[in-house]
Structure formats: structure tokens, C-alpha cells
């Protein structure tokens, strides 16, 4: 596996922690753990906000890897979309097939027949796209469908020149923030994962892409970045402890991303350690496979104690590692070669 470029290493670790946080957040679906989850409403009530951290990180990383290459013509749109499809589609389809094969027996879940009307959308990752929206059997997959809209929009941002200047970057950030505020005003929050989900993905993605451009033109001094990391981390931890609104938690997370972006400081170092980088490498698998563990724990009832839940999380990590080696990487290489006709940028390996 290619080494993660230094600039993106803290993001890889942060993505791993965000994926693990989403896995743990979904423990609130397990009745046997309700005495625990009820005591931590700041996390088990608002932990879904870490999905938005994915969107912001994705916007930053995609802009870092592709903005200049697409603008200069050294990366074609065909290669870009081939890399995106190869990143998301294979594991999504494998998880979907495994779910239909075992979930009706193990969890009493509906079989493929119950989703017949949604199968085309599930196969094309369009199941959150406005009027095409339909229920996915593995609910966490909604975010990859929504993120595909951001990928489709990215070349338009490049063509419009919004990533070529500080002014364009500020416009992107303003649009992203405006999207979150609009969701808050219209729907009482941004915890949406139906046909409105692409707006959520675009908002986070625009913020991340805009911040990448701003920090590239005006990077933070090492001392400022280090202090910013501590302040943002304290705000995030304090916000969870005090059960502050999700918008506050997202804001603190974005500031933490900005703080660690330069790769300097103690938290950037921590996020770049081998265990966190490994967690980041497995983040996509963790995110999709953990729903099987959540359903299994829910079926256990009161027998689903905290130690059992922690064992389940470890098992999910093992499954994610196996699927990364047996599914994600082989399928990604094959699809990228077949769809693009040439290799995607090596840096795309960290996306």
C-alpha cells in the first residue's frame, strides 16, 4: 500500500475515528445498552454528526488530489469518475448481496423482493437522489449515495473556477454553511438521510473543498495550528459532554480539521499514528459492515452487554480488514483500470 502523503495522514486518522464514532453511536439502537446510551445523550443523541465530518474531509481530500489535475488536464474526468466508482461501488454491492443472503434468516429482515422497486437505485447509488429516493436495506449506505452527488458536482466547481481563487473558496464555504443553516431552518436540523440527503453531502463537501483552497493560499503557522487543535478538540469533547447542538459539534470538528491540516502539532501526530491510519484505511468497511453487528446485538436483547458490544466492534474491524484486502483493493484496481484506461493518481489511494 502506498504511503499516505503527510498532508493527508491526519485526515486518514480522523476519518477512522469518525467511522468508529458512527459505529458506536448506532449502539443506541440496541435496547440492552439503553442504560448506558441514555447517560451520554451528547454522543448517542448527536453522534450522527460525524457523517458530516466525512463529507467535509472528502471535499478537502478530493480538492487536494484532483482540483489542479483536472484544471490542468493531467487527470481526465473519466479517470476521476472511474476512481470514485471504484472506491464506493464494489464494497457497497458486496455488503448489499451479503445482507440479502443472510439478514432475512439471522435478523428477520426483509428480503430482496421487498426492495424490488429500489434495486435499480441501489445498484446505481442513486437511492437518495430526490424523487429517486427509496429505503436502503443497510441504512448507513445513504451517505455514499449522497456523496456521489458531490462527486458529480466537483468537476463543475473546477470548471467554474471556484477552486482557483480565495474569493471562489469563500463562496463555496458560504454556500456550504448556508446549506446547513437552511436545513436547520426548514427541517429543524440537518439529520436528513432521505431524498434531501444530497444537500447535506454537498454542504459539507463545499466547506471542505473551500477550506482546502483557503489554507493552501494562507496556511496556518505551526503555533497557531497547535493551539487551534487543542481548542477545537476541547470544544468537541465539551460539546458532547454538555449535549450542545449538533451544529456546534460540527463547527468544532471543522475547526479541528483546519488545525490538523498542516500535519503539525500533537493531535495531528496522534491522528497520523499507525493504529489511527489503519483505522482510517478500514473506515469504509467499518461504516458499512457495522450495521450487521448492530442488528445482531439488537436481537440479543438484554444479553447485549457492553463487553459483548465491544467484542462485536472488534469483529467488525476484523471483517473490515478482510473485506479491504479481498474486496476493496482488488476491485478498486480492476475497476479503475477498466473504466479509466489508465491509473488514477497515486494520492487518490488515501481518499
Amino acid at each position: 500500500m502506498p504511503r499516505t502523503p503527510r498532508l493527508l495522514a491526519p485526515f486518514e486518522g480522523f476519518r477512522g475515528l469518525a467511522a468508529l464514532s458512527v459505529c458506536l453511536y448506532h449502539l443506541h439502537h440496541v435496547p440492552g445498552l439503553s442504560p448506558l446510551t441514555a447517560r451520554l445523550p451528547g454522543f448517542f443523541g448527536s453522534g450522527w454528526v460525524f457523517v458530516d465530518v466525512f463529507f467535509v474531509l472528502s471535499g478537502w481530500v478530493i480538492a487536494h488530489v484532483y482540483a489542479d489535475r483536472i484544471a490542468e488536464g493531467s487527470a481526465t474526468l473519466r479517470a476521476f469518475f472511474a476512481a470514485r466508482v471504484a472506491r464506493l461501488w464494489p464494497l457497497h454491492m458486496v455488503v448489499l448481496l451479503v445482507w440479502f443472503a443472510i439478514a432475512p434468516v439471522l435478523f428477520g429482515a426483509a428480503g430482496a423482493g421487498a426492495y424490488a422497486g429500489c434495486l435499480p437505485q441501489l445498484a446505481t447509488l442513486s437511492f437518495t437522489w430526490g424523487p429517486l429516493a427509496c429505503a436502503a436495506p443497510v441504512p448507513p449506505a445513504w451517505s455514499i449515495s449522497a456523496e456521489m452527488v458531490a462527486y458529480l458536482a466537483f468537476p463543475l466547481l473546477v470548471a467554474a473556477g471556484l477552486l482557483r481563487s480565495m474569493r471562489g473558496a469563500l463562496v463555496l464555504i458560504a454556500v456550504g454553511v448556508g446549506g446547513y443553516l437552511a436545513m436547520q431552518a426548514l427541517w429543524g436540523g440537518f439529520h436528513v438521510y432521505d431524498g434531501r440527503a444530497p444537500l447535506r453531502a454537498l454542504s459539507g463537501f463545499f466547506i471542505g473543498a473551500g477550506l482546502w483552497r483557503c489554507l493552501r493560499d494562507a496556511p496556518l503557522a505551526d503555533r497557531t495550528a497547535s493551539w487551534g487543535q487543542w481548542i477545537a478538540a476541547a470544544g468537541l469533547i465539551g460539546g458532547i459532554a454538555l449535549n450542545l447542538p449538533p451544529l456546534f459539534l460540527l463547527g468544532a470538528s471543522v475547526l479541528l480539521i483546519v488545525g490538523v491540516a498542516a500535519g503539525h502539532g500533537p493531535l495531528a501526530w496522534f491522528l497520523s499514528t499507525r493504529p489511527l491510519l489503519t483505522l482510517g484505511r478500514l473506515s469504509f468497511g467499518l461504516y458499512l459492515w457495522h450495521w450487521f453487528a448492530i442488528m445482531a446485538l439488537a436481537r440479543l436483547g438484554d444479553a447485549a452487554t457492553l463487553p459483548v458490544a465491544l467484542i462485536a466492534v472488534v469483529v467488525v474491524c476484523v471483517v473490515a480488514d478482510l473485506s479491504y484486502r479481498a474486496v476493496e483493493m482488488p476491485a478498486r484496481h480492476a475497476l479503475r483500470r477498466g473504466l479509466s484506461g489508465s491509473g488514477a493518481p497515486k494520492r487518490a489511494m488515501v481518499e
Side-chain angles (χ1 to χ4, degrees):
M1 176 182 174
R3 291 177 60 188
T4 302
R6 179 172 177 78
L7 174 65
L8 300 181
F11 289 178
E12 188 83 333
F14 200 171
R15 182 167 56 188
L17 282 182
L20 182 61
S21 296
V22 172
C23 297
L24 297 176
Y25 156 72
H26 279 139
L27 291 175
H28 77 272
H29 290 290
V30 181
L33 296 176
S34 57
L36 168 65
T37 58
R39 292 179 182 176
L40 297 170
F43 180 78
F44 290 105
S46 301
W48 49 265
V49 80
F50 289 102
V51 178
D52 296 272
V53 174
F54 291 152
F55 296 145
V56 177
L57 287 171
S58 180
W60 191 309
V61 172
I62 293 295
H64 173 70
V65 175
Y66 284 106
D68 292 336
R69 289 174 174 266
I70 291 177
E72 297 165 358
S74 60
T76 65
L77 293 182
R78 180 179 176 182
F80 169 72
F81 286 118
R84 298 298 84 225
V85 171
R87 177 73 172 90
L88 300 180
W89 190 79
L91 185 60
H92 163 69
M93 291 304 297
V94 168
V95 170
L96 196 63
L97 292 173
V98 172
W99 178 268
F100 284 141
I102 69 173
V105 176
L106 295 182
F107 313 133
Y115 294 93
C118 192
L119 291 179
Q121 292 96 309
L122 290 170
T124 57
L125 291 174
S126 60
F127 52 93
T128 62
W129 297 7
L132 295 177
C134 53
V138 181
W142 71 266
S143 67
I144 62 174
S145 170
E147 191 166 355
M148 279 301 300
V149 177
Y151 295 155
L152 292 171
F154 179 72
L156 300 178
L157 305 184
V158 176
L162 292 173
L163 292 171
R164 296 177 68 92
S165 67
M166 183 73 78
R167 179 180 296 179
L170 293 175
V171 168
L172 277 179
I173 295 171
V175 171
V177 172
Y180 278 114
L181 294 178
M183 286 183 279
Q184 189 73 38
L186 292 173
W187 306 314
F190 56 96
H191 190 199
V192 294
Y193 42 86
D194 51 17
R196 303 166 294 177
L199 175 59
R200 183 175 169 189
L202 286 168
S203 297
F205 190 92
F206 285 1
I207 291 172
L211 286 172
W212 166 77
R213 179 65 203 201
C214 289
L215 269 292
R216 192 181 78 162
D217 287 351
L220 296 179
D222 291 354
R223 185 177 180 85
T224 302
S226 296
W227 275 106
Q229 291 171 34
W230 288 116
I231 293 171
L236 181 59
I237 295 171
I240 291 173
L242 297 173
N243 195 19
L244 296 182
L247 271 176
F248 179 90
L249 302 183
L250 178 58
S253 298
V254 171
L255 290 178
L256 184 54
I257 290 171
V258 170
V260 303
H264 303 292
L267 294 183
W269 171 84
F270 171 69
L271 292 171
S272 303
T273 56
R274 184 175 295 276
L276 271 296
L277 290 178
T278 299
L279 200 61
R281 174 171 57 85
L282 303 181
S283 59
F284 189 34
L286 284 174
Y287 186 71
L288 289 183
W289 289 116
H290 85 275
W291 194 251
F292 291 78
I294 296 299
M295 292 295 96
L297 290 169
R299 294 279 286 185
L300 288 177
D302 292 339
T305 60
L306 180 59
V308 173
L310 294 178
I311 292 172
V313 171
V314 172
V315 171
V316 171
C317 290
V318 173
V319 172
D321 183 63
L322 292 174
S323 71
Y324 180 82
R325 300 172 188 274
V327 177
E328 287 188 67
M329 291 308 297
R332 195 183 307 179
H333 289 313
L335 277 177
R336 283 164 64 184
R337 285 195 301 268
L339 293 176
S340 70
S342 61
K346 290 183 178 181
R347 285 181 294 175
M349 295 297 296
V350 300
E351 298 159 33

